[in-house]
Amino acid sequence: MIRNNSFIKAMRCLARSNGDPVAAVELARTDYGEGPVVGLLQKAVIIDTSDLGGDAAWRASIAEFMAGVAIYDILPRIDAVSPLHTIPLRTRVLVQDEEPVAVWVDEGEPVVVSGASFTETKVEPQKACGLVIVTREVVALATDAAETSLTRSLERAVAKLTSAAAFAAAPVAGAPASLLVDAVEVSSTGDVRADMAALTAAFEGDIERAVLVMSSNTAMSLCLQPSLVGSAAGLGVKGGVFCGLPVVASGSVADDVVALVDAGGIAYGDGGVQLDVATQADVTIENVTHSLWQENLVGYLARRFVAWQAAPGSIAYVANADWPPASAATTRTKQ
């Protein structure tokens, strides 16, 4: 079996037992033997899983799961390239607006404290919810293939809960404000080089910490421009490097938005995820009602608590970017 996947194993056993933690303990003991999964579920017998956030083993199992979510989630992907200003949720912290200035001091001379500017902030999380539906066959099989399928489905779904809102062109109801709100906007000319020059000129953040954020379609479009060979070397649908800048490309970003982000200027808090199991509910999808019990399905209700906030000047973006491949632009001109 897949090692170090205690959270998903526990959720699988809860689904098989129709949410009964006592029965789930016995299922875990049969499938996995005595170990961390049984330990987690034994705690769930006494305390509901939604209240286990204070337990170290439970937090560690969720952190392990969230490491897989980070592969698909846009803000953790940026953090992997250039660190965000990660802060605890609901906690008062200081965000540095200006770098401190270091001074040289002769031996025996008094030390003069250098100046620096700080802003006090307290990030309050927003809650995103989503339902992931899988077949009972997937949760019934204690195989690597079934566990991998369940894990990936849940990781992608949890990541999608928040990724689309982070760089949304229009406000997303109930979500933290898009990072493009109050960002410096650069109007596109349709010329890649001119737009990139204007974007970097308008950018007020630290270029050494900067990351380009764009859609996967835009990244592919840039790869297809012969005139940009070299500038787009190493760029692909998941990101890479463009014009010497690291790139994070995602399907959660609009095709006409290209953002330059000072990652250190983004305060980011992630409270992890809660998963609840449903096996008896009726679910309406696109005006069609499905009975989970009658259709032999299992629903995982994911709740995620996150927050993000951009410091002034930390983001600039090209709006309405229209960067077709050079071959398409040439064809259009000839016509």
Side-chain angles (χ1 to χ4, degrees):
M1 293 298 297
I2 300 173
R3 299 181 62 187
N4 301 325
N5 203 17
S6 301
F7 182 62
I8 296 302
K9 287 180 170 69
M11 289 298 104
R12 171 185 166 271
C13 292
L14 280 172
R16 284 191 62 198
S17 67
N18 294 322
D20 180 356
V22 175
V25 169
E26 295 309 312
L27 288 170
R29 189 171 279 123
T30 299
D31 289 346
Y32 308 119
E34 295 291 344
V37 181
V38 171
L40 291 176
L41 290 170
Q42 284 175 331
K43 295 171 184 177
V45 173
I46 304 171
I47 305 173
D48 187 84
T49 55
S50 61
D51 296 324
L52 276 171
D55 181 77
W58 187 258
R59 291 200 312 272
S61 70
I62 292 179
E64 185 179 76
F65 171 72
M66 294 303 293
V69 173
I71 297 173
Y72 310 104
D73 196 351
I74 190 166
L75 285 173
R77 286 179 61 201
I78 293 173
D79 184 58
V81 175
S82 182
L84 302 171
H85 185 68
T86 304
I87 60 176
L89 296 173
R90 301 185 180 92
T91 302
R92 187 171 63 94
V93 296
L94 297 178
V95 177
Q96 191 167 286
D97 293 332
E98 297 178 6
E99 297 289 343
V101 179
V103 294
W104 294 95
V105 181
D106 291 332
E107 186 68 29
E109 294 295 322
V111 177
V112 179
V113 178
S114 59
S117 175
F118 297 91
T119 299
E120 181 181 301
T121 186
K122 182 179 180 181
V123 177
E124 294 290 344
Q126 301 294 109
K127 179 171 71 173
C129 299
L131 185 66
V132 185
I133 298 177
V134 298
T135 65
R136 271 197 173 274
E137 288 80 0
V138 169
V139 299
L141 292 173
T143 64
D144 285 355
E147 187 176 319
T148 297
S149 175
L150 177 60
T151 301
R152 288 180 178 171
S153 294
L154 291 172
E155 286 174 346
R156 287 178 179 273
V158 170
K160 198 170 184 178
L161 288 178
T162 57
S163 284
F167 288 91
V172 177
S178 168
L179 292 171
L180 299 182
V181 173
D182 297 328
V184 178
E185 181 178 327
V186 176
S187 297
S188 176
T189 65
D191 180 87
V192 178
R193 296 179 185 277
D195 287 352
M196 285 300 299
L199 179 63
T200 52
F203 183 60
E204 300 175 6
D206 186 341
I207 196 68
E208 291 186 4
R209 304 186 304 198
V211 177
L212 275 173
V213 177
M214 63 182 68
S215 75
S216 297
N217 289 333
T218 298
M220 177 57 73
S221 175
L222 292 173
C223 291
L224 296 175
Q225 298 208 34
S227 63
L228 295 177
V229 172
S231 297
L235 185 63
V237 295
K238 293 184 178 180
V241 177
F242 181 60
C243 294
L245 289 163
V247 176
V248 171
S250 169
S252 298
V253 180
D255 290 340
D256 63 348
V257 168
V258 177
L260 188 55
V261 180
D262 178 355
I266 308 300
Y268 177 62
D270 187 350
V273 68
Q274 295 176 1
L275 288 180
D276 292 327
V277 177
T279 57
Q280 305 291 328
D282 291 336
V283 178
T284 301
I285 304 174
E286 296 181 352
N287 297 320
V288 177
T289 301
H290 299 267
S291 169
L292 298 182
W293 179 76
Q294 289 181 337
E295 298 181 41
N296 215 27
L297 302 173
V298 173
Y300 286 97
L301 179 62
R303 295 184 179 89
R304 192 167 179 198
F305 300 85
V306 295
W308 54 74
Q309 182 177 310
S314 58
I315 300 178
Y317 72 101
V318 177
N320 302 314
D322 182 15
W323 295 347
S327 57
T330 303
T331 303
R332 186 184 303 172
T333 302
K334 289 181 178 178
Q335 292 176 344

